[in-house]
């Protein structure tokens, strides 16, 4: 994997963690330990450049629906200083 792709994946991972931290500070997420998640390149590139499973993995810990978690993450994302321009929420599957 190229260094640029690896750096982008790491930036996405950190942006999601930072968004979760802001969601906790805002009272949108409970202050619970959150399991690790993955940022990957989807097999079908029409699904985007990268995909993260944080909402699915965190659903049990946060006792909330993954789609609600994903929306909260998206509201709290800040891509300043990264290679990322935007984020979309995809349904399961």
């Amino acid at each position: 994997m190229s260094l640029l792709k690896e750096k982008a994946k790491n930036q996405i991972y950190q942006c999601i963690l930072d968004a979760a931290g802001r969601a906790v500070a805002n009272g949108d997420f409970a202050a619970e330990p959150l399991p690790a998640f993955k940022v990957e390149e989807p097999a079908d590139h029409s699904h985007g450049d990268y995909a993260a499973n944080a909402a699915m993995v965190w659903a049990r810990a946060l006792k909330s629906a993954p789609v609600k978690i994903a929306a909260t993450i998206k509201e709290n994302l800040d891509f300043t200083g990264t290679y990322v321009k935007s984020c979309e929420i995809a349904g399961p599957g």
Side-chain angles (χ1 to χ4, degrees), residues 9-88:
K9 281 178 60 174
N10 291 337
Q11 287 178 345
I12 293 166
Y13 192 93
Q14 190 59 52
C15 284
I16 293 171
L17 287 179
D18 293 345
R22 284 189 283 281
V24 169
N26 296 338
D28 296 325
F29 285 172
E32 295 292 330
L34 297 173
F37 62 94
K38 293 181 182 179
V39 176
E40 302 174 315
E41 289 185 62
D44 182 347
H45 286 285
S46 69
H47 296 164
D49 296 322
Y50 295 95
N53 67 347
M56 293 296 293
V57 173
W58 293 349
R60 181 173 288 184
L62 295 173
K63 297 177 180 78
S64 185
V67 72
K68 184 176 179 198
I69 294 168
T72 302
I73 291 169
K74 185 176 178 179
E75 289 171 14
N76 287 283
L77 282 172
D78 179 8
F79 295 126
T80 304
T82 71
Y83 296 120
V84 183
K85 290 193 301 186
S86 66
C87 168
E88 295 178 23

